[in-house]
Amino acid sequence: MTLGWSQAQEVNEKLMLDAASIESKVIQWRREIHKNPELSNREFKTAAKIAAHLKSLGLEVQTEVGKTGVIGILKGDQPGKVIALRADIDALPVTERNDLSFKSTVTTTFLGTETGVMHACGHDTHTAILMGVAEVLAANKDLLKGTVKFIFQPAEEGPPPGEEGGAKLLIKEGVLKNPDVDAIFGLHINSATPVGTIRYKPGGTMAAVERFVVKVNGKQTHGSQPWSGVDPIYIAAKIVDGYQSIISRESRLIDEAAVISVGKITAGVRFNIIPESAEMIGTVRTLDPDMKALIVRRMTEMTETIAKAYGGTASIEFQNFTSITFNDLALTNQVLPSLQAVAGADQVELVKATTGGEDFSFYQEEVPGFYFFLGGMTPGNTEAFPHHTPDFKIDDSGLLLGVKAFLQLTVDYLNTP
Ligand SMILES: [Zn+2]
Ligand SMILES: [Zn+2]
């Protein structure tokens, strides 16, 4: 059965009313989760809270997926496509600095250092929004044509060293299978986007993040006699210089931005010794798959050949943190009217890409996906503290639009043949 226009209109109105009626509940959940943040792969209490909620709604619930993930499956009364909605649930080792009544006072030891724990990226809001969406859709499953998979994902910020985690692990454990997901949607709250606004970009939206390590080998000698050795510090400097020419001279910057940053150089022990070796670590950010391939290839060639030209040797290794958060073009066009319907057309803004990374990108490599940004800045403010900082703040009057956006695009997507 396909809904006629007026019937679809009625369904939408009902869902939006139901969303509005649970707004205070969603805000309450968000504050409880905010007060009790847990680090990546340690989201035990958060997961228990989510699982209890989904079970109370009568959903089929899977726990301990990808360590601490929770999956809820809601089958509509009518058969149809399978849509996945994803929320990340982890917090960060940041000590919260504000006067909110629900401020976190949680502390823990992270990599040997005592630290506060804080939802300093806003994943508490994502969790509460998706719990709200589940509640509304479960209450209206007689109107639902198809299946909704709710993915509450741990460790988006990256698992602790030596552990697997995040979207990669969930995919490995089959989260997009059985039932097979046709499309996936995700959102990120943003501290610098006004409440009521949705921002999006087709194509490359957030960057592929690589970490790289360069090892340069020379030959140790006295600082007064460089001709007797091979100076790895000088070679490292030439390599850093070479990398920047890949961005400025070889990358088609009219297509997308790209960044290479060396963040750390280690070499030597004292002023009058030219050391044996040098090490550099850094990051590459790309928004286009072809540019990424070019940059990785040219960095590898430059590392090896520049070192060789100066009498040393060098190697580079890349470690992939995220892929390109790439909004499928057809899907973006398809969901845009849904977002405009809930936010108002002038509140849905096309934005530039960012060079931050997001592990939602791994799902988008498997199935078509769409990722958008939701306003969390108090109306009237013009400035906000960035994500991952102690003063980071989200105005939870912005959450209702997140619930409505997910509801609208879910129903519209499932009702589109
Ligand atoms: Zn973050
Ligand atoms: Zn985040």
Side-chain angles (χ1 to χ4, degrees):
M1 184 187 81
T2 307
L3 295 176
W5 185 82
S6 63
Q7 219 174 346
Q9 186 77 354
E10 258 173 54
V11 170
N12 289 344
E13 277 168 17
K14 166 122 184 14
L15 292 176
M16 295 307 132
L17 282 174
D18 285 2
S21 75
I22 63 155
E23 181 184 11
S24 60
K25 237 170 151 176
V26 171
I27 290 174
Q28 184 62 30
W29 290 327
R30 183 262 164 154
R31 294 184 177 190
E32 287 161 12
I33 297 164
H34 189 89
K35 210 171 167 12
N36 298 286
E38 295 174 294
L39 293 180
S40 307
N41 275 358
R42 304 288 182 273
E43 308 92 333
F44 304 113
K45 284 182 284 179
T46 310
K49 184 185 180 72
I50 297 162
H53 176 63
L54 299 182
K55 278 178 192 157
S56 79
L57 301 175
L59 267 62
E60 188 186 317
V61 180
Q62 300 159 6
T63 57
E64 294 176 27
V65 183
K67 303 216 188 256
T68 47
V70 182
I71 310 297
I73 296 171
L74 176 67
K75 292 197 173 88
D77 281 4
Q78 305 157 59
K81 288 184 280 196
V82 179
I83 186 175
L85 304 175
R86 176 274 210 167
D88 40 10
I89 66 172
D90 54 331
L92 287 158
V94 174
T95 304
E96 185 157 9
R97 185 167 59 196
N98 60 45
D99 50 9
L100 295 172
S101 61
F102 52 94
K103 165 183 168 172
S104 160
T105 53
V106 175
T107 57
T108 192
T109 305
F110 180 68
L111 305 180
T113 308
E114 188 72 14
T115 172
V117 184
M118 175 188 177
H119 269 292
C121 201
H123 299 179
D124 51 338
T125 67
H126 306 166
T127 308
I129 286 170
L130 198 55
M131 285 169 69
V133 174
E135 179 153 336
V136 173
L137 287 178
N140 290 285
K141 76 187 192 66
D142 54 322
L143 304 172
L144 209 57
K145 189 182 165 205
T147 298
V148 186
K149 209 178 238 190
F150 298 91
I151 302 176
F152 291 88
Q153 181 212 299
E156 192 285 322
E157 302 286 0
E163 291 182 28
E164 285 187 282
K168 239 181 199 170
L169 183 60
L170 263 70
I171 294 165
K172 200 165 122 184
E173 292 188 6
V175 75
L176 297 175
K177 306 270 170 214
N178 189 31
D180 294 1
V181 170
D182 292 300
I184 185 162
F185 298 90
L187 63 75
H188 208 301
I189 197 88
N190 186 265
S191 67
T193 301
V195 163
T197 301
I198 285 173
R199 291 181 173 160
Y200 78 102
K201 181 185 175 294
T205 299
M206 295 182 80
V209 176
E210 323 295 317
R211 176 179 182 269
F212 64 83
V213 180
V214 177
K215 293 206 163 100
V216 183
N217 291 302
K219 187 179 169 219
Q220 188 157 333
T221 181
H222 197 289
S224 65
Q225 300 173 22
W227 49 85
S228 302
V230 174
D231 184 352
I233 295 178
Y234 185 75
I235 294 172
K238 292 288 180 189
I239 291 173
V240 172
D241 198 30
Y243 289 167
Q244 294 314 325
S245 75
I246 301 172
I247 300 295
S248 68
R249 305 289 82 184
E250 299 185 41
S251 300
R252 274 181 58 94
L253 296 174
I254 48 168
D255 292 341
E256 288 289 2
V259 173
I260 303 173
S261 293
V262 174
K264 187 181 178 192
I265 302 183
T266 338
V269 285
R270 58 172 287 148
F271 79 102
N272 59 356
I273 300 174
I274 290 171
E276 190 79 8
S277 63
E279 188 179 275
M280 300 190 279
I281 57 176
T283 187
V284 180
R285 308 288 167 122
T286 50
L287 290 151
D288 176 89
D290 293 339
M291 281 172 83
K292 178 179 160 178
L294 170 90
I295 289 170
V296 166
R297 178 173 61 77
R298 291 293 293 136
M299 284 179 78
T300 307
E301 288 170 1
M302 279 205 183
T303 305
E304 291 165 1
T305 56
I306 289 173
K308 195 172 172 215
Y310 293 97
T313 57
S315 61
I316 185 167
E317 265 178 45
F318 292 91
Q319 188 187 0
N320 171 242
F321 275 51
T322 66
S323 292
I324 300 164
T325 304
F326 193 91
N327 282 336
D328 183 87
L329 300 179
L331 191 63
T332 304
N333 287 336
Q334 190 186 332
V335 303
L336 206 48
S338 309
L339 298 179
Q340 288 167 337
V342 288
D346 54 349
Q347 301 281 79
V348 179
E349 300 174 352
L350 179 65
V351 289
K352 305 270 189 208
T354 80
T355 43
E358 166 57 66
D359 82 353
F360 188 78
S361 54
F362 293 122
Y363 302 113
Q364 290 173 308
E365 286 186 322
E366 306 292 322
V367 296
F370 179 76
Y371 191 78
F372 61 98
F373 302 97
L374 177 70
M377 181 167 71
T378 303
N381 285 9
T382 50
E383 260 185 301
F385 292 105
H387 292 234
H388 293 207
T389 65
D391 301 292
F392 171 78
K393 227 182 245 183
I394 290 298
D395 187 324
D396 43 28
S397 67
L399 304 196
L400 179 59
L401 181 59
V403 175
K404 287 183 170 180
F406 266 157
L407 287 171
Q408 187 78 47
L409 61 81
T410 298
V411 171
D412 290 349
Y413 180 82
L414 292 178
N415 280 331
T416 304

